[in-house]
Amino acid sequence: MSHVFPRHTKAEPPVAVAGDGCYIVDKSGKKYFDGSGGAAVSCLGHSDPDVTEAIRSQIGRIAFAHTGFFTSEPAEELADLLIEHAPGNLDRVYFVSGGSEAVEAALKLARQYFLETGEPSRHRVIARRQSYHGNTLGALATGGNEWRRAPFAPLMIDTSHISPCYEYRGRREDETAFDYGQRVANELETEILRLGPENVMAFVAEPVVGATAGAVPPVEGYFKRIREICDKYGILLILDEVMCGMGRTGTLFACEQDGIAPDILCIAKGLGAGYQPIGAMLCTSDIYSAIENGSGFFQHGHTYIGHPTACAAALAVFRKLTGGIAGRVGPMGEKLDVALQSAFGQHPHVGDIRGRGLFRGIEIVEDRVSKKPFDPKRGLAKSLKKAAFDAGLICYPMGGTIDGVAGDHVLLAPPFILEDAHIGEITDKLDRAFRTVF
C-alpha cells in the first residue's frame, strides 16, 4: 500500500524508474515517448549528462544557502544570462521554485510597485477566460479555468476576465484575423474603464495559451494593441511564459514573436527542464527601482528561492538552449505540424491543428463543419490520455477547451532533442489512440 497522496485516488500510475532521452521507462520495462514533456517541462529529455553533472558538481560544493543570508554563484550567473537574452527593459530576476510561485510573486510585486509609487488604489487584476496561471490561490484567481477555480472561489481575490484571443472559436466570418484580434484586445480597455483605471494594476496573459486551451497562438497585432492599452492607462503587463517560454514556441521568449515586451515576465518548466524545480519572475528596471528607492524590501519570499542546486541545473539548461538546441525548435516544429496536418488534417473529429514551434494543439470536435464539441459527459480527454498512454505515448489531453465545460484538445510539447523518426512515432501512436477512442 502506498502512502503517497496521488493526483487521483482512483488511479494507480506505473512507477517510473529511468529516463532515456525522449523516453521514460517504467518498472515493467515499458518505454513511453514523452510527447508532452510531462507538462511542457522536459525540453532536453530525461538523461542529459551535462545538466546531471552540473547538479552533481554543485551539490559537491554547496547544495543550499538561504537567500536571507547569501546569494550564490549559479544564481548570479543565471540571472546575468537571462537578462542578457531577455526582451525589452527586463533587468532583474527573482528565482522561485515553479510557475505558480512565479505568478504569485508577479502579482505581489505589481501591488507593491503601486504602493511604492503612491497609487495605493491600484489592486485589480484583469486576465482572460480559458487561461491558466497556476494553482496557488492568487494564480488560480487570475486564471480563467472555471473548473479549477470553482471549488475554491470563496477563497480567491476578485479578478476580471475578458475574451481570449481564440481565432478558431471567436473570429466572425465577416472580419479579418487582424480585426478580430483588435476587437478582443479592445475588451481590455472596456474593462479598465468599467473598473476605473485608477483601480487596475495589471493585465495577465499567456502569449500562447497552453494547458487550458491547447497551444492557442494570438493573431497578428493582438499583443501590440494590448501593450498600447496597458501603456495608455499605466497598467503593468504581466506575461506568463511558464509553459510557452524558454524556446518552446521557437524563440527563447515567446513574446518576441509578437514584437512586444512585458513589465513582468514569468518563466519555469523549460527553465529547469525537469532536472530541478525552478522558476523565475523577471521585472523591468523601473519596477525594481521603485522598490530599491522606496522601502528597499520586497515583502515576499519562500524558503527555496534562489536555490543554488536548482540554479546550477537551470544554468546548464539555459546554456544548452542558447548554445544551439533551442534553434532546432522552429524547423522541427514545422515538421511536426506538417506531419500532424497530414495524419489528422482531414480526420472527421479534428477541428483545428495549431500552435508554434514544438507547442502544438489538436482540437477535437464531434462535427467538423459546425465545430460542435463532444458531450462533456463522454470524458473524451480522459479516454484519449489512457489510449495514448497504453500505446506508449505521453500526451496532454484536456477537457473544457471552449468554456471550462465543453470541448476537448490534445496538447503536444515534445523534447527539443527529438529526431525525424520520433515525429512519425508521435503521429502513429496518436492515430492508434484516436482509433481506439473513436
Side-chain angles (χ1 to χ4, degrees):
M1 183 184 72
S2 174
H3 291 282
V4 171
F5 199 135
R7 283 179 175 250
H8 198 301
T9 61
K10 301 295 191 292
E12 293 186 18
V15 178
V17 296
D20 181 14
C22 293
Y23 298 87
I24 293 177
V25 185
D26 73 16
K27 197 172 183 178
S28 72
K30 182 176 178 178
K31 295 180 72 172
Y32 306 80
F33 183 84
D34 195 355
S36 62
V41 175
S42 301
C43 57
L44 298 184
H46 296 279
S47 54
D48 189 284
D50 298 322
V51 183
T52 303
E53 179 53 37
I55 295 168
R56 183 182 295 113
S57 177
Q58 182 61 39
I59 290 174
R61 292 192 295 273
I62 181 168
F64 170 69
H66 196 284
T67 54
F69 304 95
F70 298 97
T71 185
S72 70
E73 290 177 343
E76 296 291 339
E77 290 182 47
L78 179 57
D80 287 346
L81 277 176
L82 283 168
I83 295 305
E84 180 184 331
H85 289 87
N89 296 318
L90 295 172
D91 187 63
R92 294 282 173 159
V93 182
Y94 188 92
F95 291 113
V96 292
S97 297
S100 296
E101 281 189 24
V103 173
E104 291 284 333
L107 296 171
K108 292 175 78 173
L109 181 61
R111 172 60 179 163
Q112 188 170 336
Y113 168 76
F114 285 114
L115 291 176
E116 302 273 5
T117 55
E119 296 187 77
S121 66
R122 288 191 184 261
H123 68 287
R124 291 298 301 262
V125 177
I126 302 172
R128 302 185 296 183
R129 294 189 292 276
Q130 290 308 98
S131 59
Y132 179 65
H133 298 297
N135 253 333
T136 50
L137 286 175
L140 189 62
T142 301
N145 186 301
E146 286 304 321
W147 74 268
R148 279 189 171 107
R149 289 166 50 90
F152 309 103
L155 306 178
M156 297 190 298
I157 60 172
D158 191 14
T159 306
S160 297
H161 292 94
I162 62 173
S163 296
C165 188
Y166 185 3
E167 184 183 8
Y168 174 67
R169 290 284 174 184
R171 181 164 71 90
R172 299 191 303 249
E173 290 185 4
D174 64 346
E175 63 186 347
T176 65
F178 179 84
D179 288 341
Y180 162 67
Q182 299 301 291
R183 173 168 64 83
V184 291
N186 285 333
E187 288 188 23
L188 174 59
E189 184 169 37
T190 301
E191 184 61 12
I192 290 169
L193 293 173
R194 187 186 75 83
L195 295 171
E198 71 281 2
N199 297 318
V200 181
M201 72 176 189
F203 176 67
V204 185
E206 300 164 90
V208 180
V209 181
T212 300
V216 177
V219 298
E220 183 181 356
Y222 171 80
F223 270 110
K224 285 188 176 180
R225 178 61 184 144
I226 291 291
R227 179 74 268 185
E228 289 174 358
I229 294 169
C230 289
D231 290 342
K232 179 178 179 179
Y233 295 101
I235 291 159
L236 298 181
L237 175 59
I238 300 173
L239 292 183
D240 175 356
E241 296 200 4
V242 168
M243 186 171 265
C244 64
M246 293 293 95
R248 174 57 62 186
T249 61
T251 49
L252 197 59
F253 295 91
C255 63
E256 295 176 54
Q257 296 175 55
D258 296 291
I260 64 156
D263 302 294
I264 301 175
L265 180 74
C266 301
I267 54 175
K269 296 189 185 291
L271 176 63
Y275 289 88
Q276 288 280 287
I278 189 169
M281 174 197 70
L282 286 65
C283 73
T284 62
S285 54
D286 286 346
I287 294 174
Y288 181 79
S289 294
I291 307 298
E292 183 183 32
N293 298 323
S295 66
F297 172 64
F298 179 30
Q299 196 171 325
H300 183 60
H302 296 278
T303 299
Y304 289 113
I305 63 174
H307 192 281
T309 306
C311 287
L315 180 60
V317 170
F318 196 77
R319 283 173 172 159
K320 300 203 81 163
L321 293 179
T322 55
I325 288 180
R328 303 184 78 249
V329 174
M332 294 304 291
E334 288 300 315
K335 289 182 179 181
L336 177 59
D337 183 55
V338 168
L340 292 173
Q341 296 287 351
S342 176
F344 307 114
Q346 299 304 312
H347 192 286
H349 297 305
V350 171
D352 191 31
I353 299 172
R354 55 185 176 242
R356 290 178 178 173
L358 287 172
F359 200 45
R360 300 287 164 174
I362 303 171
E363 184 159 341
I364 309 300
V365 294
E366 184 174 355
D367 179 72
R368 283 170 58 91
V369 177
S370 66
K371 303 181 184 179
K372 177 186 175 183
F374 280 95
D375 186 337
K377 293 178 182 177
R378 180 166 174 174
L380 196 70
K382 183 179 179 181
S383 298
L384 282 171
K385 180 179 179 180
K386 182 182 185 303
F389 198 68
D390 289 346
L393 173 66
I394 300 169
C395 59
Y396 201 121
M398 179 73 72
T401 308
I402 301 169
D403 56 8
V405 178
D408 299 277
H409 67 266
V410 176
L411 183 68
L412 296 169
F416 301 171
I417 62 171
L418 87 167
E419 302 292 344
D420 289 355
H422 293 133
I423 292 175
E425 183 175 354
I426 291 171
T427 55
D428 289 348
K429 290 181 174 179
L430 195 55
D431 181 62
R432 199 182 313 169
F434 280 5
R435 290 176 185 275
T436 299
V437 171
F438 297 124

